[in-house]
Amino acid sequence: MNESEGALRGAALVLEGGGMRGIYTTGALDYFLDRAFHFDYVIGVSAGASHALSYISRQRGRARRVNVEYCNRGEYMGFGNLLRTGSYFGMDFIFRTIPERYDPYDFESFERNLGRFVIVVTNMLTGEAEYMEPRTGASLFAPAIASCSLPLVSKPVFLGGVPYLDGGIADSLPLDRVRADGFSRMVVIRTQPRGYRKKPSGGKALYRAVYRGYPRLVEALSSRNERYNAALDRLDALEESGEALVIAPEPQPGLDRLERDPERLNGLYRSGYADAEALADRVRDFAR
């Protein structure tokens, strides 16, 4: 590790969601830790926010361990969880049991971080994104759980009496937020390959049935592909103009957001690490 690399203050680090595809992100983040690439501003969506936790606390390897070594346990994810708790992913197990008992989270290191960490969540009442900045260990995991709570298979997370779900519903790639927070350059770690575009879900009737008390959320869910694809077009333009540096995986046929095969997941981790390594000098020069 080269501790002389130090803080990277010239660009924001943007982490896309994507469920288990986010293991790619953990590989890239571990390479950043190996090089002591510490961004002063990190914004994460859904799984991206979850993986950012161990990056900010500088616990190399922890995000991969939590999501690969435990993913085949019933408490981690499965329909048993959905029947028992209302959520396919075992949020208590992932965000409480593992950090407290099996793979301790370094809350003190998180609180020593002087940079900004932004978690994207979706307000179910407005259908719009909100951007939360936890500063203490006590306030850290609740917005992360909200950001990771996938529609249809997760319970709403209430924060301050307001129900929230997955941040990717309203803002999968928070490029505008990064600009609003004062950054003209950004390093973006994708979980989908270049050229990917999201197809319409066709699930509006189901959304209306499940979220009949939240019409603005239904509209946000129904138009998600349009906004996501528009954000991808903007990201392509930012990369072309030199304002964004994108790290993205190669196509992974057959791999989806609920992948549980450790061999495939570890391969995805290694590819994220290798892709970040290949771009390391560009990242360093771009973000300083």
Side-chain angles (χ1 to χ4, degrees), residues 121-130 132 146 149-152 154-159 161-167 169-170 207 210-221:
V121 295
T122 298
N123 184 317
M124 292 177 63
L125 301 176
T126 66
E128 297 179 356
E130 293 184 13
M132 300 187 173
S149 293
L150 302 177
L152 302 179
S154 299
K155 293 186 303 183
V157 176
F158 285 82
L159 303 174
V162 177
Y164 293 93
L165 281 177
D166 179 18
I169 297 169
Y207 295 144
V210 175
Y211 299 117
R212 56 186 176 274
Y214 301 98
R216 294 181 179 177
L217 176 69
V218 171
E219 183 56 38
L221 285 164

Side-chain angles (χ1 to χ4, degrees), residues 81-217:
N81 279 332
L82 188 62
L83 293 173
R84 288 192 304 272
T85 71
S87 293
Y88 184 84
F89 284 89
M91 297 302 188
D92 281 346
F93 181 72
I94 296 170
F95 288 97
R96 295 188 176 92
T97 303
I98 293 177
E100 293 173 4
R101 186 184 307 171
Y102 298 125
D103 203 323
Y105 185 74
D106 191 341
F107 291 97
E108 292 183 1
S109 179
F110 170 81
E111 292 181 354
R112 286 196 300 269
N113 173 55
L114 299 178
R116 295 179 64 185
F117 174 40
V118 183
I119 297 176
V120 184
V121 295
T122 298
N123 184 317
M124 292 177 63
L125 301 176
T126 66
E128 297 179 356
E130 293 184 13
Y131 307 90
M132 300 187 173
E133 295 191 46
R135 300 286 185 177
T136 66
S139 65
L140 180 57
F141 284 161
I145 293 171
S147 189
C148 294
S149 293
L150 302 177
L152 302 179
V153 294
S154 299
K155 293 186 303 183
V157 176
F158 285 82
L159 303 174
V162 177
Y164 293 93
L165 281 177
D166 179 18
I169 297 169
D171 198 358
S172 295
L173 284 170
L175 311 178
D176 292 339
R177 180 66 184 197
V178 169
R179 289 291 191 84
D181 282 345
F183 289 87
S184 60
R185 289 180 291 165
M186 59 193 80
V187 174
V188 181
I189 302 180
R190 298 283 318 282
T191 57
Q192 292 282 10
R194 294 178 182 277
Y196 171 83
R197 291 298 184 272
K198 193 174 185 66
K199 298 178 181 179
S201 68
K204 192 166 186 176
L206 180 60
Y207 295 144
R208 283 174 173 165
V210 175
Y211 299 117
R212 56 186 176 274
Y214 301 98
R216 294 181 179 177
L217 176 69

